[in-house]
Amino acid sequence: MLKVTKLTKSYGAVQVIHGIDFTVPEGECYALLGPSGCGKTTTLRCVAGLETASSGRIEISGQVVSDSERGIFVPVHERPIGMVFQSYAIWPHLNVFENVAYPLRVQRPRVAKSEIRERVNSVLNTVGMLKMADRSATQLSGGQQQRVALARALVREPKLLLLDEPLSNLDAQLRITMRNELADMIQRVGVTALFVTHDQAEAFVLADRMAVMNGGFIAQEGSPREIYRIPKDPFIAEFLGSANILRGRVGELAPGGRVALHIHGGPDLTLAYETPVSAGSEVDLVLRPERLLLSAEKPEIDTNVFEGRIRKLSFQGNVTECEIDIEGGLTLRAVSALDDDLVEGMPVWVRAPHATVIPAKQAA
Amino acid sequence: MTQSSERNRERRPRRRSELGLAAWIIIIAGTALAIYLIAVPLLMLLFTAFRGPSDFLPFEPGAGWTLGNLIDVYTSSVLYTRIIPDTLIFAGGSVTLSFTVGFTLAWLIERTDLPARDTWFTLILFPMLVPSIVLAIAWIFLMGPQAGWLNVALEQVFGVKGVVNVFSMGGLILCQSLATIPFTYLLLSSALRTMNPSLEEASGASGASSLTTFRKVTVPVLLPGLLAPLILVTLVTLEQYELPSVIGVPAQINVFSYRILYELNPADGLPNYGGAAAVALPFLLMGILLLALYNLAVRRADKFVTVTGKAYRQRRLELGRWKVPSMLFLSAYVLLAGILPALVLVWTAFFGFAPPSLASLSSFSAEPFQRLFASREFWLAIRNTFFVAAASAAIITMLGGLVAWVVMRLKFPGRTLLDFFSFMSIGIPSVIAGLAIMLLYLTLPVGIYGTVWILVIAYSYRLAISTRLAKAGLLQMHKELEEASSASGATWISTQWRVVLPLMRPALFSSFVLLFIVGVREFTLPLILHSPDNVVLSVLLWRLYQNGDTIGAAALGSLIVLLVIPIVILARRALSRSS
Ligand SMILES: Nc1ncnc2c1ncn2[C@@H]1O[C@H](COP(=O)(O)OP(=O)(O)OP(=O)(O)O)[C@@H](O)[C@H]1O
Ligand SMILES: [Mg+2]
C-alpha cells in the first residue's frame, strides 16, 4: 500500500533522513515514533509531497509518487492522500461544513452539490460533528478541531491518511480520550494510515505496526508489543518507557533456559531468559519498573531475583515508586500499586518475571 | 557501477511543482512588474547623471557621456555652504522635536490612565491625513510674520509685534515636526504596546518609584526598539518637499529636495536634467544606507524580545496631579496641528484674512467656494485625486501581496534581495522618484506623459507599505493552512483564491486604505509630473496659492479637510487592524 524505499532527505549540507525503508500494508495503521528532531515529520512530509525527497522511492497504492532515479515527483495535490496537521489547520474563514467540503469543492471533475452535502454529512457523522456543521471554525475546542481536521482528511476517501502529531495540541486529559476515539474512528473507516508521534503511549494504542526512529534512521520496526517487550537496544528500551538497564556478562548456560549472569559491579544472578544469549557475551539486562514484584520475604522462585533495601518511596497516587539499593551501589526503580507494607529502609526481594537481555553495544 | 548509482542518488528529482503554468506566469509577471516600477526609473536617473549636455534628456540625439554634471554640482560652493548644512539642521531639528513630542504623546496614551484616549488618538491622527501642503498654507495664515493670527493675538494681549515668524529655520522645523508627529506617534505607540508590562511591574515590586521605573526600566528596555522608528522618521523627514518649499524657500532655506526641483525649473531658463540627477544621487545613496541600517536595527530589536506572545493586561500608570498638565500638552499639539489650521482655513475662506472679530463677520462671502465649484479644473482635480489614489493603492496592494508571498513562501536564492528591493521604496525620496519617472517617460515613447496614468505608475513605486503589511499577515498565517489546502487536492491557484486571499483580507484592506491615504496626500510626485490634464487637489491648491489667490486656496484647503474626515474613520480601522 505505502512503500518507502531508501528515502533520504537533506537540507543543504545537513542530511536529516538517512535512507529509511518501511512498508504499510493495506488497512493498517503505522506509527513513526521517535524523539524530537529525529526526522519523523520530514518523512511524513516527503510521503505527502510537501517536501521533495533527496533520493529514494515512495509508492502509494501501486503508484510511484516520488522516485529520484526516474525523476518522478507527483505534487501534493495529485497524491491520493488525506492529511491531519499538527496545528489542525482549520481555515478560520470557513465554517465546519465548508472546511470539510473543501477537498470535494476543489476536486476536478466537479462533484455534484448534492453529493458533496451527502458525503460531508456522512463523514461529519462519523467523527461526531454533524450537529456543529454550521459552527464557525473559530468557535471550536481543540478536540472538535481535531475531529474536523480528521473529517476533512477523510472526506475524499484517500488511499492513505497521514497524521502529524495529531494529539499533541490537546491537553493531557483530552489527549487520552481523543487517542482512543481516534483509534476507533480510524479502525471503523478502515483507511491505511501513517502517523507521527513522540508519545509512545499514542503509538501503542493507535498503531498496528510502528517504527522507532532515531537520528534519521529507523532503529527498530515491529508491532508495539514486540518492540516494548524486546527492544533492540538500550535507547529504544528507555524511549518506550522507563527501564532499569544493567550491564553484565553471561556465564555458564544451564539446562532449562537458565543462565548465570554477572552484573558488573553488582550481584550475580540466575536468569531465566526469553531471548537467545550466548555464553560469555556482554549484555544489557532491561527491567521495566512496573513489571518488578516486591516482597518482604525471599520468594520461592530463585530466578531473576535481587536482594536489596528500600532507599526511598515516593507516593504518586495510583502507584508508589520505590528506589531500591542492591549490591554494589546499584539502584533499581520499581513501581508498585500495593504499597501498604512498604517502609523506607526495609529489606526487600525484587523479582522480575520478565527480563529481557539484549546484546550490549560495544562502547565506541 | 557504484559510481553511476552514486550519481543517480545525488540527482534531485525534477520537482513537478504544484505551481502550474498560470501560477508561474502570475508570479513572474508580478515580480517583474514590481522590479520594473522601482528599478527602471532609478537606472534612468543614474544614466542621466552621467549624460550631457545637461538640458538634454539622457538619450536624446546629441547627448553623450560626461562627468560634467557631477563636476558642476559637486564643485559648486552652494552645496557645501547652503544645501548640506540646511538639510542637516532641518532634518536634525525636526526629527528631534517630533521624536520627543511623539514619544510623550505615545507614552501618555498607551501607558497612562489619561481619559478619552480614543478621541486623542483620532485627533492626533488627523494631521497625518491632511496633505502637508494644506497644513503648510494654514500655518502661514496662523504664524505669518505680520498678519498671522498668533502674532495678531500676541500683539493685542502683550503689545509685542511679530514674535512668531513661520518663515525661519525655527518655524520650518516646528511646522515639519507638527506634521511628522502623528507618524512618529504611531511607530512609537506600537513599540510601547509590544513591551511586556510585567517588566515595569517587577521594577515597581522591587520598590522603585514610577519615575525611577521609567528611567531605569522603560527607557533602556525600549531603546533598541526606538532605533528603528528613529531611522524611519529621519528618512521620512529627509524626503519632505512640501514644507521646505512653501515655508523654507521664502526664508531662504535650501534643502536638497527643493534643490532638485530648482535644478529642473531654474528661474533662468532651461531644465538642468543632468544637474538634478547629480544632486539626487548622493541623497538616494544615503536613503538606501539608512534603510539598510533600519533593517539591521529591526533585526537587533527582534532579538531583544519584549513580547511574550500572550496578550497581557496593560497596567496603566496613574497620572494623578499630572493629569491636567498632560491634557494641556495634548491639547496644545492638537490645537496647533489640527484644530487651528482647519479653523483658519475655513474662516479665511469665508471671511478673508482678518483674524476673527465682530467687525470681520460682516465680510462673509461664499464667493470663493462658488468660484471653485464653477471651475472645470476643480472637478477634474477631485476625479484625478481619487482615481489615482485608488488605482495605485489597488496595484500596490496586489503587487505587494504577491511579492510578500514570493519572498516568504518560495525558496529561491534571490528572495532576500527581492525583499530588500521591495522595501527600498521607503528609502527613495519622492522628489527623486518623481524626477526618475519624469526622465524615464520623457524618454520612452509610450505616450502616457502628462496623463493620469503616469501618476498611477509613479505612485505605485511605494511597494514597501503593502509588502510589509502582507508579510506580517502571512507571518501570522500558519503555513499548514496552505498545506492543508494542497493536501486536500487544491491546485496553487485554488489555494490562493480560496484560502490565502480570504485570510489575508484584513492585511490587504489595511494596506489599501493606508496607500489610498498616502495617494490622496501626495503632492511632490504630481507636482513634478503635472500637466493640465492630470492636476490633483494638492497641486491645484499650490497653484492657487502661488498665483496669489490665497482665499481660493483657503477655500480649497477647507474642502480637502472636509474630504479627509471620512477617511479618518477608515484609517482608524485600518491602523488598528495593522498594529
Ligand atoms: N526546513 C528545514 N531546514 C533545515 N533543517 C530542517 C528543516 N526542517 C527540519 N529540519 C531539521 O531536520 C531534522 C528533522 O526534523 P523533523 O521536523 O522531521 O523532526 P521531528 O522528528 O518531526 O521532530 P519533532 O518531534 O520535534 O517534531 C531536525 O534536526 C530539524 O532541525
Ligand atoms: Mg515533527
Side-chain angles (χ1 to χ4, degrees), chain A residues 45 49-55 68-73 75-78 81 83 85-93 102-103 105-106 152 156, chain B residues 5 8-19 411 478-492 494-495 498-499 502-503:
Chain A
R45 290 171 61 88
L50 293 166
E51 300 281 350
T52 318
S54 304
S55 74
S68 58
E69 294 195 5
R70 287 198 281 153
I72 295 174
F73 184 87
V76 208
H77 66 279
E78 290 173 16
I81 54 162
M83 186 156 174
F85 288 82
Q86 187 168 6
S87 66
Y88 303 142
I90 304 295
W91 298 302
H93 62 298
Y102 186 94
R105 296 220 190 276
V106 298
R152 184 177 65 190
R156 61 170 177 154
Chain B
S5 74
N8 269 338
R9 193 167 312 147
E10 289 304 309
R11 209 180 68 191
R12 283 173 59 87
R14 211 164 19 88
R15 176 160 186 157
R16 194 150 69 76
S17 161
E18 65 259 56
L19 300 173
K411 294 171 195 144
H478 203 301
K479 212 172 138 205
E480 290 187 349
L481 291 170
E482 281 170 75
E483 291 177 348
S485 171
S486 308
S488 301
T491 56
W492 183 80
S494 278
T495 301
R498 288 168 178 266
V499 174
L503 290 178

Side-chain angles (χ1 to χ4, degrees), chain A residues 9-12 14-17 33-45 51 86 164-165 196-198 213 216, chain B residues 411 479:
Chain A
K9 171 73 190 172
S10 310
Y11 291 107
V14 190
Q15 189 165 4
V16 295
I17 308 284
L33 175 68
S36 186
C38 69
K40 311 175 295 281
T41 300
T42 309
T43 308
L44 190 80
R45 290 171 61 88
E51 300 281 350
Q86 187 168 6
D164 186 3
E165 308 250 3
V196 152
T197 177
H198 61 258
M213 289 185 69
Chain B
K411 294 171 195 144
K479 212 172 138 205

Side-chain angles (χ1 to χ4, degrees), chain B residues 384-467:
Chain B
N384 286 346
T385 303
F386 286 98
F387 172 74
V388 176
S392 61
I395 291 177
I396 311 172
T397 300
M398 281 189 307
L399 271 186
L402 189 69
V403 167
W405 190 89
V406 167
V407 166
M408 305 259 303
R409 295 288 200 258
L410 283 187
K411 294 171 195 144
F412 70 100
R415 61 193 239 268
T416 29
L417 201 67
L418 179 64
D419 189 25
F420 185 71
F421 198 75
S422 73
F423 191 46
M424 205 166 86
S425 62
I426 287 189
I428 305 173
S430 52
V431 185
I432 295 181
L435 169 66
I437 283 161
M438 170 184 178
L439 292 168
L440 178 64
Y441 292 96
L442 279 175
T443 303
L444 285 181
V446 285
I448 60 166
Y449 198 83
T451 68
V452 286
W453 294 106
I454 196 169
L455 295 186
V456 173
I457 289 178
Y459 289 19
S460 299
Y461 94 94
R462 294 190 194 277
L463 260 187
I465 300 178
S466 74
T467 319

